[in-house]
Amino acid sequence: MKKIQLHDTLSRKRLDLVPEDGNTFRFYCCGPTVYGPAHIGNFRAFIAQDFLRRVIELSGLKTLHVRNITDVDDKTIRESIKSGVALKDFTTGWTDQFHKDANALNLLEPHIEPSAVEHIPEQIELIQNLIDKGNAYLSEDGSVYFSVHSYSDYGKLTKIDQRDLQAGAGETANDADEYTKDNVCDFVLWKAKKSEDGDNFWQSPWGDGRPGWHLECSAMGMKYLGESFDLHAGGVDLCFPHHENEIAQSEACTGKTFARHWFHNEHLMVEGSKMSKSLGNLYTLSDIIGRGYTASELRYSLLSGSYRTKINFSFDRMNEARINLQKIANIAYRLGGIDSYEDLCDIAVRDSIEMGAFESSWGALLEDLNASAALGELFGIIKNLEKKLVNGNLSESDKKICRQGLSVIVNAFGWILPEPDSLKQAVEVPEDVKVLAEQRWQAKCDKDWSESDRLRDELIALGWVIKDGKEGYDVESVD
RNA sequence: GGCGAGGUAGCAAAGUGGUAAUGCGCUGGUCUGCAAAACCGGUAUCGCGGGUUCGAUUCCCGCCCUCGCCUCCA
């Protein structure tokens, strides 16, 4: 089977995705900061990562997927204190909520989901290492900073020139911290205890305090995936400074390449601008469901454009998702259903999966997860298949292969399909509706068109639509 | 100012040096008493101006516009 190709932010090239150990693809995703409900923009990132993982696994590779929970940082501490709940309880509540949403969106569970607050010893060790190597220094207030000057490759991910950093420093510096830094671009590894942090501090060789945000991902990534691993993922906004800093502190410490491949998804936009609380254009999964849409429809929407392109969220887009998912569900039903993800992965590990007519759609996914092209191919294939099914030109063995091919595509996108239309007719029709429908059919048979049309309008008003056939009719619920 | 993404039909969105997938919508047809549903078909010369080329939407140069990052952020 063809290799997966994926764009790499660091080299800015499309590269073959190959696990370093030739066996298991090890990757790290920056997880949620659990201080409130994740919004659908956050989920775009997690869905993109899930999509990547599914394609990798369906192509026959094993993965080791680590996604952290950020449960100690400025925001979690601030919000927990504001709500009067202990940090641990506060973050546990939002972590649970995140899991519920992730589950509804059919995200595969990461193999390891480390919590930052439970890895403080590892973070302290990393800091000590950096101090010993001369890459970090202690400031007067007991904080520890990473010295950007000490790492000559600083800025390689986002192509930042150190001179530019210094030039821009005067404008972007945080006044409160400025005097403690050799260079304003130095970033904090260990934050000295402050009164506003309440009880949320830990002991360290440099006094009480807490770890800096950038550090946790380096510490946990290296702990679970090794000093060098296959891929690191996150939203584009994390490129700088978060990932740039992760690279600096990790590589300064180990002298090895931190992540071999960088995967960044673009933002989700709403009404043409970035989703944010201040603009009031922020949606959570609950908001979407409250509007009558399903999590799967959201998932379809968020994957219907390239992960590297901004997507403008809209309810028109959600409606389109609904219609298309229904179309896919209908063909899936006619082919005999969808095979489970686990079964498909089992086959993929042993052998390449036969894609049959769906080869072109799958091929598009292997080329930098080209979802748009894959969907384009998919609908073309579906159209052909329907024609064959109608004409009875699809043999049982072809049908079986098609079912498998479609199953791979459906599972790669991770859609949970709705009931096919043909099963929806089984929905219980109320007696009075049945009576009206029967009366209409009679009127129609009697060629009493005005009465027939009147009864049909009446049924529509009740929310039922008549679909006439040659020998009879069906009654279906509108929507 | 620095870095980055993007401008393709009403909307969404791929793609390619040789006259542009796909989905929604719209529209014509078949079917129907008329509809609905279904099926068949139609629907763009690719931001603007130059250049390279036999030929550019696709390559190069300039310009305009949109958006993101540069402070926390998926």
Side-chain angles (χ1 to χ4, degrees), chain A residues 91-144:
Chain A
T91 56
T92 298
W94 287 117
T95 301
D96 290 347
Q97 181 62 50
F98 174 74
H99 287 316
K100 279 180 197 154
D101 288 351
N103 197 41
L105 287 164
N106 204 23
L107 295 179
L108 297 168
E109 280 180 38
H111 301 102
I112 303 171
E113 192 173 48
S115 130
V117 81
E118 285 166 14
H119 290 77
I120 288 178
E122 286 84 348
Q123 297 178 67
I124 288 175
E125 189 185 334
L126 181 53
I127 296 170
Q128 188 57 255
N129 227 316
L130 288 168
I131 292 175
D132 295 345
K133 288 194 158 76
N135 297 108
Y137 58 90
L138 185 62
S139 72
E140 286 173 16
D141 70 345
S143 292
V144 180

Short mmCIF file of all heavy atoms in Angstrom, two decimals, chain A residues 91-144:
data_model
loop_
_atom_site.label_atom_id
_atom_site.label_comp_id
_atom_site.label_asym_id
_atom_site.label_seq_id
_atom_site.Cartn_x
_atom_site.Cartn_y
_atom_site.Cartn_z
N THR A 91 -10.34 21.00 37.67
CA THR A 91 -9.88 20.48 36.38
C THR A 91 -10.45 19.09 36.08
O THR A 91 -10.67 18.75 34.93
CB THR A 91 -8.34 20.41 36.33
OG1 THR A 91 -7.86 19.62 37.42
CG2 THR A 91 -7.74 21.79 36.40
N THR A 92 -10.72 18.33 37.13
CA THR A 92 -11.31 17.00 36.89
C THR A 92 -12.69 17.15 36.26
O THR A 92 -13.04 16.42 35.33
CB THR A 92 -11.43 16.23 38.23
OG1 THR A 92 -10.12 16.05 38.76
CG2 THR A 92 -12.06 14.86 37.99
N GLY A 93 -13.44 18.12 36.74
CA GLY A 93 -14.77 18.34 36.18
C GLY A 93 -14.72 18.67 34.70
O GLY A 93 -15.45 18.09 33.89
N TRP A 94 -13.81 19.56 34.35
CA TRP A 94 -13.74 19.95 32.93
C TRP A 94 -13.08 18.88 32.08
O TRP A 94 -13.35 18.78 30.88
CB TRP A 94 -13.02 21.30 32.78
CG TRP A 94 -13.89 22.43 33.25
CD1 TRP A 94 -13.66 23.28 34.28
CD2 TRP A 94 -15.17 22.79 32.71
NE1 TRP A 94 -14.71 24.16 34.44
CE2 TRP A 94 -15.65 23.87 33.48
CE3 TRP A 94 -15.96 22.29 31.67
CZ2 TRP A 94 -16.88 24.49 33.22
CZ3 TRP A 94 -17.19 22.90 31.41
CH2 TRP A 94 -17.64 23.98 32.19
N THR A 95 -12.24 18.07 32.71
CA THR A 95 -11.65 16.96 31.96
C THR A 95 -12.74 15.95 31.61
O THR A 95 -12.81 15.44 30.49
CB THR A 95 -10.55 16.27 32.80
OG1 THR A 95 -9.55 17.24 33.11
CG2 THR A 95 -9.91 15.12 32.02
N ASP A 96 -13.63 15.70 32.56
CA ASP A 96 -14.74 14.78 32.31
C ASP A 96 -15.61 15.29 31.15
O ASP A 96 -16.03 14.53 30.28
CB ASP A 96 -15.62 14.62 33.56
CG ASP A 96 -14.89 13.84 34.64
OD1 ASP A 96 -13.85 13.23 34.33
OD2 ASP A 96 -15.37 13.85 35.80
N GLN A 97 -15.88 16.58 31.19
CA GLN A 97 -16.69 17.18 30.13
C GLN A 97 -16.00 17.01 28.77
O GLN A 97 -16.62 16.67 27.76
CB GLN A 97 -16.93 18.67 30.41
CG GLN A 97 -17.79 19.36 29.36
CD GLN A 97 -19.19 18.75 29.29
OE1 GLN A 97 -19.86 18.59 30.31
NE2 GLN A 97 -19.62 18.38 28.09
N PHE A 98 -14.72 17.23 28.78
CA PHE A 98 -13.95 17.08 27.54
C PHE A 98 -14.06 15.65 27.02
O PHE A 98 -14.26 15.42 25.83
CB PHE A 98 -12.48 17.44 27.78
CG PHE A 98 -11.60 17.17 26.58
CD1 PHE A 98 -11.67 17.98 25.47
CD2 PHE A 98 -10.75 16.07 26.57
CE1 PHE A 98 -10.89 17.72 24.35
CE2 PHE A 98 -9.96 15.80 25.46
CZ PHE A 98 -10.04 16.62 24.34
N HIS A 99 -13.95 14.69 27.91
CA HIS A 99 -14.05 13.29 27.49
C HIS A 99 -15.42 12.97 26.90
O HIS A 99 -15.53 12.24 25.92
CB HIS A 99 -13.78 12.35 28.68
CG HIS A 99 -12.34 12.31 29.09
ND1 HIS A 99 -11.32 12.22 28.19
CD2 HIS A 99 -11.74 12.37 30.29
CE1 HIS A 99 -10.15 12.20 28.82
NE2 HIS A 99 -10.39 12.30 30.10
N LYS A 100 -16.44 13.55 27.49
CA LYS A 100 -17.79 13.32 26.97
C LYS A 100 -17.91 13.86 25.55
O LYS A 100 -18.44 13.20 24.66
CB LYS A 100 -18.83 13.99 27.87
CG LYS A 100 -19.17 13.18 29.10
CD LYS A 100 -20.20 13.90 29.97
CE LYS A 100 -20.24 13.30 31.36
NZ LYS A 100 -20.71 14.27 32.38
N ASP A 101 -17.44 15.07 25.38
CA ASP A 101 -17.52 15.69 24.04
C ASP A 101 -16.68 14.90 23.04
O ASP A 101 -17.11 14.65 21.91
CB ASP A 101 -17.02 17.13 24.10
CG ASP A 101 -18.00 18.06 24.82
OD1 ASP A 101 -19.12 17.60 25.12
OD2 ASP A 101 -17.64 19.22 25.08
N ALA A 102 -15.49 14.52 23.47
CA ALA A 102 -14.59 13.79 22.58
C ALA A 102 -15.23 12.47 22.15
O ALA A 102 -15.14 12.05 21.00
CB ALA A 102 -13.26 13.53 23.27
N ASN A 103 -15.89 11.85 23.08
CA ASN A 103 -16.56 10.60 22.81
C ASN A 103 -17.70 10.79 21.82
O ASN A 103 -17.86 10.01 20.87
CB ASN A 103 -17.08 10.03 24.13
CG ASN A 103 -17.40 8.58 24.03
OD1 ASN A 103 -16.65 7.84 23.40
ND2 ASN A 103 -18.52 8.18 24.59
N ALA A 104 -18.46 11.84 22.03
CA ALA A 104 -19.58 12.12 21.12
C ALA A 104 -19.07 12.37 19.70
O ALA A 104 -19.72 12.05 18.72
CB ALA A 104 -20.37 13.32 21.62
N LEU A 105 -17.89 12.95 19.62
CA LEU A 105 -17.32 13.25 18.30
C LEU A 105 -16.56 12.06 17.72
O LEU A 105 -15.93 12.17 16.68
CB LEU A 105 -16.39 14.46 18.42
CG LEU A 105 -17.12 15.80 18.59
CD1 LEU A 105 -16.18 16.87 19.08
CD2 LEU A 105 -17.78 16.21 17.28
N ASN A 106 -16.66 10.94 18.41
CA ASN A 106 -16.03 9.70 17.94
C ASN A 106 -14.51 9.81 17.82
O ASN A 106 -13.90 9.28 16.89
CB ASN A 106 -16.64 9.29 16.58
CG ASN A 106 -16.49 7.81 16.32
OD1 ASN A 106 -16.35 7.02 17.25
ND2 ASN A 106 -16.51 7.43 15.05
N LEU A 107 -13.91 10.52 18.76
CA LEU A 107 -12.44 10.59 18.78
C LEU A 107 -11.91 9.32 19.45
O LEU A 107 -12.40 8.93 20.51
CB LEU A 107 -11.97 11.80 19.61
CG LEU A 107 -12.32 13.19 19.10
CD1 LEU A 107 -11.80 14.25 20.07
CD2 LEU A 107 -11.73 13.43 17.72
N LEU A 108 -10.93 8.72 18.83
CA LEU A 108 -10.30 7.55 19.45
C LEU A 108 -9.58 8.03 20.70
O LEU A 108 -8.99 9.13 20.71
CB LEU A 108 -9.29 6.93 18.49
CG LEU A 108 -9.86 6.37 17.19
CD1 LEU A 108 -8.72 6.06 16.21
CD2 LEU A 108 -10.66 5.11 17.47
N GLU A 109 -9.65 7.25 21.75
CA GLU A 109 -8.95 7.65 22.97
C GLU A 109 -7.45 7.55 22.75
O GLU A 109 -6.97 6.56 22.20
CB GLU A 109 -9.34 6.71 24.12
CG GLU A 109 -10.66 7.02 24.74
CD GLU A 109 -10.99 6.04 25.87
OE1 GLU A 109 -10.06 5.66 26.61
OE2 GLU A 109 -12.17 5.68 25.99
N PRO A 110 -6.71 8.54 23.20
CA PRO A 110 -5.25 8.43 23.10
C PRO A 110 -4.81 7.22 23.93
O PRO A 110 -5.48 6.84 24.89
CB PRO A 110 -4.73 9.70 23.74
CG PRO A 110 -5.89 10.60 23.90
CD PRO A 110 -7.13 9.77 23.87
N HIS A 111 -3.69 6.64 23.55
CA HIS A 111 -3.21 5.49 24.34
C HIS A 111 -2.75 5.95 25.71
O HIS A 111 -2.87 5.23 26.70
CB HIS A 111 -2.06 4.80 23.60
CG HIS A 111 -2.47 4.32 22.24
ND1 HIS A 111 -2.14 4.97 21.07
CD2 HIS A 111 -3.24 3.26 21.88
CE1 HIS A 111 -2.67 4.31 20.04
NE2 HIS A 111 -3.35 3.29 20.50
N ILE A 112 -2.21 7.17 25.77
CA ILE A 112 -1.79 7.72 27.05
C ILE A 112 -2.27 9.17 27.10
O ILE A 112 -2.15 9.91 26.14
CB ILE A 112 -0.25 7.69 27.17
CG1 ILE A 112 0.27 6.26 27.00
CG2 ILE A 112 0.19 8.27 28.53
CD1 ILE A 112 1.78 6.16 26.90
N GLU A 113 -2.85 9.52 28.24
CA GLU A 113 -3.35 10.89 28.40
C GLU A 113 -2.79 11.47 29.70
O GLU A 113 -3.48 11.50 30.72
CB GLU A 113 -4.88 10.88 28.41
CG GLU A 113 -5.48 12.26 28.27
CD GLU A 113 -7.00 12.23 28.12
OE1 GLU A 113 -7.65 11.53 28.91
OE2 GLU A 113 -7.52 12.90 27.21
N PRO A 114 -1.56 11.91 29.67
CA PRO A 114 -0.91 12.36 30.90
C PRO A 114 -1.40 13.73 31.36
O PRO A 114 -1.73 14.59 30.54
CB PRO A 114 0.57 12.42 30.53
CG PRO A 114 0.56 12.69 29.06
CD PRO A 114 -0.66 12.00 28.51
N SER A 115 -1.45 13.90 32.64
CA SER A 115 -1.85 15.18 33.22
C SER A 115 -0.61 15.95 33.64
O SER A 115 0.32 15.38 34.23
CB SER A 115 -2.76 14.89 34.42
OG SER A 115 -2.33 15.60 35.56
N ALA A 116 -0.59 17.22 33.34
CA ALA A 116 0.59 18.04 33.63
C ALA A 116 0.89 18.09 35.12
O ALA A 116 2.05 18.00 35.55
CB ALA A 116 0.38 19.45 33.09
N VAL A 117 -0.15 18.19 35.90
CA VAL A 117 0.06 18.37 37.33
C VAL A 117 0.62 17.09 37.96
O VAL A 117 1.25 17.13 39.02
CB VAL A 117 -1.25 18.82 38.03
CG1 VAL A 117 -2.17 17.63 38.29
CG2 VAL A 117 -0.97 19.57 39.31
N GLU A 118 0.43 15.98 37.29
CA GLU A 118 0.98 14.73 37.81
C GLU A 118 2.39 14.44 37.30
O GLU A 118 2.94 13.38 37.55
CB GLU A 118 0.04 13.57 37.44
CG GLU A 118 -1.22 13.57 38.30
CD GLU A 118 -2.32 12.67 37.76
OE1 GLU A 118 -2.03 11.83 36.88
OE2 GLU A 118 -3.47 12.83 38.22
N HIS A 119 2.94 15.37 36.58
CA HIS A 119 4.29 15.18 36.04
C HIS A 119 5.23 16.31 36.42
O HIS A 119 6.13 16.68 35.66
CB HIS A 119 4.24 15.00 34.52
CG HIS A 119 3.61 13.70 34.12
ND1 HIS A 119 2.25 13.50 34.15
CD2 HIS A 119 4.16 12.52 33.73
CE1 HIS A 119 1.98 12.26 33.77
NE2 HIS A 119 3.13 11.64 33.52
N ILE A 120 5.02 16.85 37.60
CA ILE A 120 5.88 17.95 38.03
C ILE A 120 7.31 17.48 38.31
O ILE A 120 8.26 18.18 37.93
CB ILE A 120 5.22 18.69 39.21
CG1 ILE A 120 4.03 19.48 38.64
CG2 ILE A 120 6.22 19.62 39.90
CD1 ILE A 120 3.22 20.24 39.62
N PRO A 121 7.50 16.30 38.89
CA PRO A 121 8.89 15.84 39.09
C PRO A 121 9.66 15.74 37.77
O PRO A 121 10.82 16.13 37.69
CB PRO A 121 8.71 14.46 39.72
CG PRO A 121 7.38 14.52 40.40
CD PRO A 121 6.53 15.40 39.55
N GLU A 122 8.99 15.25 36.74
CA GLU A 122 9.65 15.14 35.44
C GLU A 122 10.02 16.52 34.89
O GLU A 122 11.06 16.70 34.26
CB GLU A 122 8.72 14.44 34.43
CG GLU A 122 8.56 12.95 34.62
CD GLU A 122 7.50 12.58 35.66
OE1 GLU A 122 7.02 13.48 36.39
OE2 GLU A 122 7.15 11.38 35.75
N GLN A 123 9.16 17.47 35.16
CA GLN A 123 9.40 18.82 34.65
C GLN A 123 10.56 19.47 35.42
O GLN A 123 11.40 20.16 34.84
CB GLN A 123 8.12 19.65 34.74
CG GLN A 123 7.03 19.07 33.86
CD GLN A 123 5.71 19.84 33.95
OE1 GLN A 123 5.63 20.98 33.54
NE2 GLN A 123 4.69 19.21 34.50
N ILE A 124 10.60 19.21 36.71
CA ILE A 124 11.69 19.76 37.52
C ILE A 124 13.02 19.17 37.07
O ILE A 124 14.02 19.89 36.93
CB ILE A 124 11.43 19.46 39.02
CG1 ILE A 124 10.28 20.35 39.52
CG2 ILE A 124 12.70 19.68 39.85
CD1 ILE A 124 9.84 20.07 40.94
N GLU A 125 12.98 17.89 36.77
CA GLU A 125 14.20 17.23 36.32
C GLU A 125 14.70 17.84 35.01
O GLU A 125 15.89 18.08 34.81
CB GLU A 125 13.92 15.73 36.13
CG GLU A 125 15.16 14.92 35.86
CD GLU A 125 14.84 13.45 35.55
OE1 GLU A 125 13.78 12.95 35.99
OE2 GLU A 125 15.63 12.84 34.83
N LEU A 126 13.76 18.12 34.15
CA LEU A 126 14.11 18.72 32.86
C LEU A 126 14.72 20.11 33.06
O LEU A 126 15.72 20.48 32.42
CB LEU A 126 12.86 18.78 31.96
CG LEU A 126 12.98 19.34 30.55
CD1 LEU A 126 14.08 18.61 29.78
CD2 LEU A 126 11.65 19.18 29.81
N ILE A 127 14.13 20.87 33.96
CA ILE A 127 14.66 22.21 34.22
C ILE A 127 16.09 22.11 34.78
O ILE A 127 16.99 22.84 34.35
CB ILE A 127 13.76 22.96 35.23
CG1 ILE A 127 12.36 23.18 34.63
CG2 ILE A 127 14.39 24.30 35.61
CD1 ILE A 127 11.34 23.70 35.63
N GLN A 128 16.25 21.22 35.74
CA GLN A 128 17.59 21.07 36.34
C GLN A 128 18.63 20.74 35.28
O GLN A 128 19.73 21.27 35.27
CB GLN A 128 17.54 19.95 37.41
CG GLN A 128 18.80 19.84 38.24
CD GLN A 128 19.14 21.16 38.95
OE1 GLN A 128 20.06 21.88 38.55
NE2 GLN A 128 18.38 21.50 39.98
N ASN A 129 18.21 19.86 34.39
CA ASN A 129 19.07 19.47 33.29
C ASN A 129 19.48 20.67 32.45
O ASN A 129 20.64 20.81 32.06
CB ASN A 129 18.27 18.49 32.41
CG ASN A 129 19.08 17.27 32.07
OD1 ASN A 129 20.26 17.40 31.73
ND2 ASN A 129 18.47 16.11 32.17
N LEU A 130 18.51 21.52 32.19
CA LEU A 130 18.78 22.70 31.35
C LEU A 130 19.68 23.70 32.08
O LEU A 130 20.53 24.35 31.47
CB LEU A 130 17.46 23.36 30.93
CG LEU A 130 16.66 22.57 29.89
CD1 LEU A 130 15.24 23.11 29.74
CD2 LEU A 130 17.38 22.59 28.53
N ILE A 131 19.49 23.79 33.39
CA ILE A 131 20.36 24.68 34.16
C ILE A 131 21.79 24.15 34.14
O ILE A 131 22.74 24.88 33.88
CB ILE A 131 19.87 24.80 35.62
CG1 ILE A 131 18.53 25.55 35.67
CG2 ILE A 131 20.91 25.51 36.49
CD1 ILE A 131 17.89 25.62 37.05
N ASP A 132 21.90 22.83 34.35
CA ASP A 132 23.23 22.20 34.36
C ASP A 132 23.95 22.39 33.02
O ASP A 132 25.17 22.53 32.97
CB ASP A 132 23.10 20.70 34.65
CG ASP A 132 22.57 20.45 36.06
OD1 ASP A 132 22.59 21.41 36.87
OD2 ASP A 132 22.13 19.33 36.35
N LYS A 133 23.18 22.38 31.97
CA LYS A 133 23.79 22.50 30.65
C LYS A 133 24.01 23.96 30.25
O LYS A 133 24.52 24.24 29.16
CB LYS A 133 22.89 21.82 29.60
CG LYS A 133 22.90 20.30 29.69
CD LYS A 133 22.28 19.69 28.43
CE LYS A 133 22.74 18.26 28.23
NZ LYS A 133 22.07 17.29 29.13
N GLY A 134 23.58 24.88 31.10
CA GLY A 134 23.80 26.29 30.79
C GLY A 134 22.75 26.89 29.88
O GLY A 134 22.95 27.97 29.31
N ASN A 135 21.60 26.23 29.73
CA ASN A 135 20.55 26.76 28.88
C ASN A 135 19.46 27.49 29.67
O ASN A 135 18.55 28.07 29.09
CB ASN A 135 19.88 25.63 28.09
CG ASN A 135 20.84 24.94 27.16
OD1 ASN A 135 21.25 23.81 27.39
ND2 ASN A 135 21.25 25.64 26.11
N ALA A 136 19.56 27.42 30.98
CA ALA A 136 18.52 28.06 31.80
C ALA A 136 19.20 28.74 32.99
O ALA A 136 20.30 28.37 33.39
CB ALA A 136 17.52 27.02 32.28
N TYR A 137 18.52 29.74 33.52
CA TYR A 137 19.11 30.48 34.63
C TYR A 137 18.03 30.86 35.63
O TYR A 137 16.84 30.98 35.28
CB TYR A 137 19.83 31.73 34.12
CG TYR A 137 18.92 32.66 33.34
CD1 TYR A 137 18.22 33.69 33.99
CD2 TYR A 137 18.76 32.52 31.96
CE1 TYR A 137 17.38 34.54 33.28
CE2 TYR A 137 17.93 33.36 31.24
CZ TYR A 137 17.24 34.37 31.90
OH TYR A 137 16.39 35.19 31.21
N LEU A 138 18.46 31.04 36.83
CA LEU A 138 17.56 31.40 37.92
C LEU A 138 17.51 32.92 38.03
O LEU A 138 18.54 33.59 37.99
CB LEU A 138 18.12 30.81 39.21
CG LEU A 138 17.32 30.94 40.50
CD1 LEU A 138 15.98 30.22 40.38
CD2 LEU A 138 18.13 30.35 41.66
N SER A 139 16.31 33.46 38.14
CA SER A 139 16.19 34.92 38.30
C SER A 139 16.07 35.25 39.78
O SER A 139 15.95 34.37 40.62
CB SER A 139 14.97 35.42 37.54
OG SER A 139 13.80 35.03 38.22
N GLU A 140 16.09 36.53 40.08
CA GLU A 140 16.11 36.96 41.49
C GLU A 140 14.87 36.52 42.26
O GLU A 140 14.94 36.24 43.45
CB GLU A 140 16.20 38.48 41.55
CG GLU A 140 17.59 38.98 41.21
CD GLU A 140 17.63 40.50 41.10
OE1 GLU A 140 16.67 41.15 41.58
OE2 GLU A 140 18.59 41.02 40.52
N ASP A 141 13.74 36.46 41.58
CA ASP A 141 12.51 36.13 42.31
C ASP A 141 12.30 34.63 42.47
O ASP A 141 11.26 34.21 42.99
CB ASP A 141 11.30 36.76 41.61
CG ASP A 141 10.99 36.08 40.28
OD1 ASP A 141 11.85 35.34 39.78
OD2 ASP A 141 9.88 36.29 39.75
N GLY A 142 13.23 33.82 41.98
CA GLY A 142 13.08 32.38 42.14
C GLY A 142 12.46 31.69 40.94
O GLY A 142 12.19 30.49 40.98
N SER A 143 12.25 32.43 39.87
CA SER A 143 11.77 31.81 38.65
C SER A 143 12.97 31.33 37.84
O SER A 143 14.08 31.82 38.01
CB SER A 143 10.97 32.82 37.80
OG SER A 143 9.76 33.16 38.45
N VAL A 144 12.72 30.38 36.96
CA VAL A 144 13.78 29.91 36.09
C VAL A 144 13.39 30.18 34.64
O VAL A 144 12.24 29.92 34.25
CB VAL A 144 14.02 28.39 36.27
CG1 VAL A 144 15.14 27.91 35.35
CG2 VAL A 144 14.35 28.07 37.72
#
